[in-house]
Amino acid sequence: MLRIVEESVKAVTPHLLGTGAVDWLPDADPQDSLDFLRDWSRSGIDEFTLVTTVAFLALNAYSLLKTGRLFPSLGFEDREHLMKGLFRLKGALGFLLGYFLGSPAINAYYSRVDVQVALGFDIPALKEEAERRQVTRGGEPLGPRESDDERPGGGEGA
Amino acid sequence: MIHQPESVTGDLRLTSEVVVIGSGAGGATIARELSQAGRKVIVLEAGRHFTRDEFDFRMDTAFLNMYWYGGQLLTLGFPAFILPQGKTVGGTTTINSGTCFRMPHRVLKRWHLDHGLWDITAEEMELYYAAVEEYLFVQKGDPEVMGRNALMFLDGARKLGLSGGILARNAKDCEGYGVCCFGCPSDAKQSANVSYIPDAVEAGCELYTGCTVDEIVVSNGRATGVKGRLEKGGKAGPSVEVEAGVVVLAAGSLHTPRMLQVQGLCRSSGQVGRNLTIHPCAGTVAVMPEELGNPKGIPQATYVDEFADEGIMLEGGTTPPLGIVMGLPFKGRRLAEFMSQYPHFGIFGGMLSEHCSTGRVIPHHRDSSRHLIFYNLRGEDTRKFKFMIELMAEIWFSLGAKTVITPTTGDVELRPADLGRLKRRKARASDYPASSAYHPLGTCRMGSDPASSVVRHTGETWEVENLFICDGSIVPTSLGVNPQMTIFALSMRCAGFIDDRLEAIAGRTPPAAPA
Ligand SMILES: Cc1cc2nc3c(=O)[nH]c(=O)nc-3n(C[C@H](O)[C@H](O)[C@H](O)COP(=O)(O)OP(=O)(O)OC[C@H]3O[C@@H](n4cnc5c(N)ncnc54)[C@H](O)[C@@H]3O)c2cc1C
Ligand code: SF4
């Protein structure tokens, strides 16, 4: 993967996720976005990686045009300003550009267990519960479930 | 026995009565039926085997481990549809929502009239459906675990005078963990990986996982086996060759036609890869005043079938945050603020369950192990797609939604007053960039005429003797409902014909006398 694309994937992360706006959402880690894109490229379709690469190159071309500098070398405020301009693009083109620029950061962030727990999807508690209520085809029905309050972790979710 | 690729050290040369390519709804059914009938069966599955302990409630790991191409398969056309398909033991059933429907009677009648499939009778199908339903514990979902989201939507629809109900599912003791599409963590969902496959293996079937079949061996117009390769640590490993009396191609509606096309098999009708139907889907997300407890609940729990005769079915329930966020057009601060309302999200989807737009699958020009899928939503279907989205928005607003997110460019975020504007819009396929589909069917359709179909009603191809196709690709029309039950039932029916063929083969070539 091109270095400029890798750096841009990390650089766009805070601007795309905007997590600072909600104080109880965990902070984003730009390195997660890059790791996600690398995993994704290995298992996915070449064209997806290609289009994502093109989207990030387009972002840098736009940045050069507007500021004379590549996107990762801009300060936070300038990057934010530039991204806001892009977010205002309407129609299918705007959607698709946002989709491909956003995919690594958004997928990586909203896949995180701590983020999902914060949103009310308490994966560790549900996993524990699933382990206690395993179903077998031949077995008897599991019988009445414990009430929510008695379940470890129950009621923690939003 | 289930063989993971790591346990195989050298090239494999195997013989069996039947070799099955793919372990999904079609392949797993054949494997169980024939193994239990005492036949020697080998199944080769490109995906790997995972168990409930490995299902971790996460969409991202499920996509990477159990979906073809990390879940990123996209159709080419307007709109583009994400078309995810399973690549694991149990095929797409392992990662599906578990909804169970019998095919409507009118659809079978159309198969009779339009495709000459008079041999498939309603009475016979009812017996197969009943057997599958009993085997897979098919029953209506339990309202106690299905989550508020689905029940609330159904309630809203009924208050507007629309018909609907609770969906039947192949789940036993379902707790509503909301992650059926990423592997059921308690084995409640009776997908093929916990039902047909273990039963087949217990009856002697050998299943090789991580094994991609590249070639169907054909000699003198007869299928005699397959060749493939195991994948180890992301690299091509030992080769696998299986000699068999019957080859069953059950690689699903996208890979099955591609494999035939790459080898130039069954070409004379010109129908291989054509007639693709997909049940185009759209989702809506409503921001409700109250918390709905997402994503605990059944992902597909209730339905609205008021417009089923017009080819529109609404089915829904919950989905984890990642399932929502990728379809949103918001970025930055707006995205975080919107997602922070996730506990208040009402989530429901719909599909065009009967549609006339069809597409086509062809091998990728640069890499024949992949396919290209062409599909355009046309004419009346586009209008129905738009209507379906409006209907869902209308139901949410009637329930007090503050805003509803639709997949419509320019009308993504609607307030109640915007509904009229949405309705007045002209329907254009390119307006729906965030669409998806889950039910590819029809690319090797069954029929009574070799000039217009690829397989007979028995599943055997017209052109290659002893080559049977048993998967969604033989279903000749869109079904009006979710397809897994029909694929299970048809495959059970095909298993009987394969068994007969094996009898005939045994008669033709008597087994060699013991030395
Ligand atoms: C997310 C999702 C949710 C769904 N929910 C529902 C639902 O609720 N109800 C319903 O009725 N239907 C549902 N479906 C659809 C249903 O699961 C499928 O229609 C059904 O599983 C198709 O069966 P099949 O045998 O045609 O193919 P599959 O089940 O896809 O099986 C094909 C198998 O072949 C393997 N394979 C492919 N190529 C090769 C090769 N070259 N060598 C070896 N193996 C190969 C694949 O890895 C796969 O395991 C859903 C689908 C999706 C994607
Ligand atoms: S809702 Fe949960 S428990 Fe029920 S079948 Fe789906 S994943 Fe399994």
Side-chain angles (χ1 to χ4, degrees):
Chain A
M1 197 176 303
L2 296 172
R3 204 183 149 82
I4 182 67
V5 172
E6 294 196 346
E7 283 175 8
S8 305
V9 169
K10 291 206 273 185
V12 293
T13 297
H15 307 282
L16 282 162
L17 294 174
T19 45
V22 180
D23 56 6
W24 50 266
L25 276 176
D27 288 337
D29 180 350
Q31 184 60 36
D32 286 349
S33 312
L34 184 55
D35 293 345
F36 191 93
L37 182 59
R38 286 183 178 145
D39 282 351
W40 203 36
S41 304
R42 270 194 293 273
S43 73
I45 293 185
D46 297 347
E47 284 83 349
F48 252 87
T49 315
L50 186 74
V51 179
T52 306
T53 304
V54 169
F56 278 98
L57 292 178
L59 171 68
N60 278 286
Y62 182 66
S63 171
L64 269 177
L65 202 76
K66 288 270 176 193
T67 68
R69 293 166 65 188
L70 292 170
F71 185 78
S73 64
L74 296 176
F76 188 90
E77 290 306 324
D78 289 340
R79 290 197 308 239
E80 182 73 10
H81 184 70
L82 206 77
M83 292 303 287
K84 279 200 172 131
L86 276 182
F87 298 159
R88 277 194 288 272
L89 273 180
K90 293 258 179 297
L93 180 72
F95 178 84
L96 290 175
L97 193 63
Y99 184 89
F100 285 103
L101 289 178
S103 279
I106 292 172
N107 270 298
Y109 183 74
Y110 285 96
S111 295
R112 274 170 47 182
V113 172
D114 59 337
V115 172
Q116 304 198 61
V117 171
L119 289 170
F121 183 20
D122 195 341
I123 292 179
L126 290 173
K127 180 113 186 91
E128 203 182 306
E129 185 188 317
E131 270 156 25
R132 283 185 292 106
R133 288 188 66 85
Q134 307 242 313
V135 178
T136 47
R137 276 180 62 76
E140 291 296 307
L142 288 177
R145 53 187 78 81
E146 298 161 54
S147 80
D148 276 351
D149 297 332
E150 288 162 353
R151 287 184 206 169
E156 282 174 14
Chain B
M1 184 173 175
I2 299 183
H3 306 265
Q4 292 279 45
E6 289 71 28
S7 65
V8 181
T9 47
D11 293 345
L12 291 174
R13 303 286 169 270
L14 308 165
T15 54
S16 72
E17 289 184 281
V18 186
V19 61
V20 184
I21 306 164
S23 66
T29 307
I30 297 291
R32 174 201 177 229
E33 293 301 309
L34 293 177
S35 300
Q36 289 190 340
R39 298 294 180 186
K40 186 167 184 228
V41 180
I42 292 177
V43 178
L44 305 177
E45 165 56 53
R48 298 182 62 104
H49 183 221
F50 296 96
T51 61
R52 61 186 173 199
D53 301 329
E54 291 159 289
F55 298 146
D56 60 1
F57 287 76
R58 292 181 61 163
M59 253 176 111
D60 56 326
T61 46
F63 277 155
L64 288 174
N65 293 332
M66 296 194 288
Y67 281 70
W68 280 94
Y69 316 115
Q72 303 164 45
L73 194 58
L74 207 62
T75 61
L76 301 171
F78 289 107
F81 290 92
I82 293 266
L83 187 58
Q85 294 296 292
K87 181 188 182 186
T88 181
V89 168
T92 306
T93 71
T94 304
I95 51 90
N96 78 10
S97 308
T99 297
C100 292
F101 272 109
R102 293 183 181 198
M103 156 172 66
H105 194 62
R106 66 170 184 283
V107 176
L108 182 63
K109 286 283 158 209
R110 211 165 292 143
W111 290 13
H112 292 168
L113 273 177
D114 298 345
H115 299 276
L117 289 166
W118 302 95
D119 289 295
I120 304 178
T121 65
E123 296 72 25
E124 183 194 23
M125 284 305 283
E126 259 168 41
L127 292 177
Y128 288 120
Y129 279 126
V132 177
E133 284 162 0
E134 190 185 343
Y135 177 62
L136 295 182
F137 301 94
V138 174
Q139 57 195 308
K140 283 189 177 177
D142 176 356
E144 264 208 47
V145 302
M146 68 179 48
R148 286 187 63 199
N149 187 351
L151 284 171
M152 179 189 232
F153 190 87
L154 175 62
D155 207 35
R158 283 182 170 155
K159 282 192 181 129
L160 292 177
L162 307 172
S163 64
I166 289 174
L167 287 164
R169 315 179 61 243
N170 54 337
K172 180 185 177 202
D173 284 318
C174 166
E175 283 291 319
Y177 294 123
V179 286
C180 306
C181 296
F182 320 114
C184 175
S186 68
D187 278 354
K189 191 180 73 175
Q190 297 298 300
S191 36
N193 58 319
V194 301
S195 51
Y196 286 94
I197 291 294
D199 282 357
V201 167
E202 199 183 307
C205 167
E206 300 286 333
L207 166 60
Y208 290 85
T209 69
C211 178
T212 304
V213 174
D214 304 312
E215 186 185 335
I216 297 161
V217 182
V218 178
S219 136
N220 295 326
R222 271 192 205 144
T224 58
V226 300
K227 290 182 184 172
R229 69 205 137 75
L230 289 159
E231 197 186 293
K232 282 189 175 188
K235 296 198 183 86
S239 69
V240 179
E241 284 184 32
V242 184
E243 206 179 295
V246 164
V247 175
V248 178
L249 182 50
S253 299
L254 304 177
H255 284 288
T256 285
R258 176 193 59 75
M259 290 172 71
L260 295 177
Q261 287 165 325
V262 168
Q263 283 192 253
L265 297 174
C266 305
R267 276 182 4 185
S268 67
S269 70
Q271 298 303 317
V272 174
R274 292 185 182 271
N275 313 304
L276 170 73
T277 60
I278 61 172
H279 290 168
C281 294
T284 49
V285 179
V287 182
M288 304 304 290
E290 63 274 64
E291 291 197 0
L292 298 178
N294 298 314
K296 194 87 172 62
I298 296 175
Q300 247 171 220
T302 59
Y303 65 94
V304 175
D305 64 351
E306 178 71 32
F307 299 100
D309 288 350
E310 285 81 10
I312 295 169
M313 281 286 278
L314 309 184
E315 294 175 10
T318 66
T319 190
L322 189 58
I324 307 265
V325 71
M326 282 316 297
L328 295 175
F330 309 132
K331 297 287 176 287
R333 190 186 179 86
R334 181 80 190 88
L335 179 71
E337 282 168 356
F338 187 81
M339 283 306 290
S340 71
Q341 303 172 86
Y342 174 75
H344 292 258
F345 285 175
I347 304 157
F348 221 83
M351 66 173 176
L352 294 191
S353 49
E354 281 176 78
H355 53 94
C356 50
S357 310
T358 56
R360 193 174 172 197
V361 180
I362 60 167
H364 194 287
H365 47 285
R366 277 192 284 114
D367 175 2
S368 64
S369 70
R370 285 171 43 199
H371 32 55
L372 293 173
I373 307 159
F374 297 95
Y375 189 89
N376 281 302
L377 205 57
R378 294 205 173 89
E380 187 57 22
D381 289 340
T382 312
R383 280 188 289 279
K384 284 192 209 166
F385 201 75
K386 175 175 174 282
F387 174 83
M388 177 169 85
I389 293 166
E390 288 160 15
L391 183 65
M392 288 188 280
E394 204 170 326
I395 295 171
W396 283 126
F397 284 132
S398 77
L399 288 162
K402 292 189 258 182
T403 45
V404 175
I405 304 296
T406 81
T408 318
T409 310
D411 274 314
V412 173
E413 191 174 10
L414 299 180
R415 305 207 180 272
D418 302 328
L419 195 56
R421 191 182 65 234
L422 184 72
K423 288 182 178 173
R424 284 191 300 276
R425 275 178 77 128
K426 196 168 177 298
R428 284 188 318 192
S430 56
D431 282 345
Y432 309 106
S435 304
S436 56
Y438 305 91
H439 304 158
L441 299 169
T443 48
C444 291
R445 71 182 179 195
M446 268 188 297
S448 61
D449 182 356
S452 59
S453 60
V454 181
V455 301
R456 302 155 207 260
H457 74 94
T458 60
E460 189 172 20
T461 61
W462 289 105
E463 278 183 51
V464 182
E465 202 179 313
N466 301 339
L467 174 61
F468 286 73
I469 301 181
C470 301
D471 60 21
S473 71
I474 67 172
V475 172
T477 60
S478 59
L479 270 175
V481 290
N482 313 49
Q484 66 169 349
M485 289 301 286
T486 302
I487 300 171
F488 285 132
L490 282 175
S491 302
M492 201 171 167
R493 183 177 183 276
C494 292
F497 295 109
I498 297 172
D499 199 36
D500 293 348
R501 174 56 52 87
L502 290 167
E503 280 302 325
I505 293 173
R508 197 157 56 200
T509 4

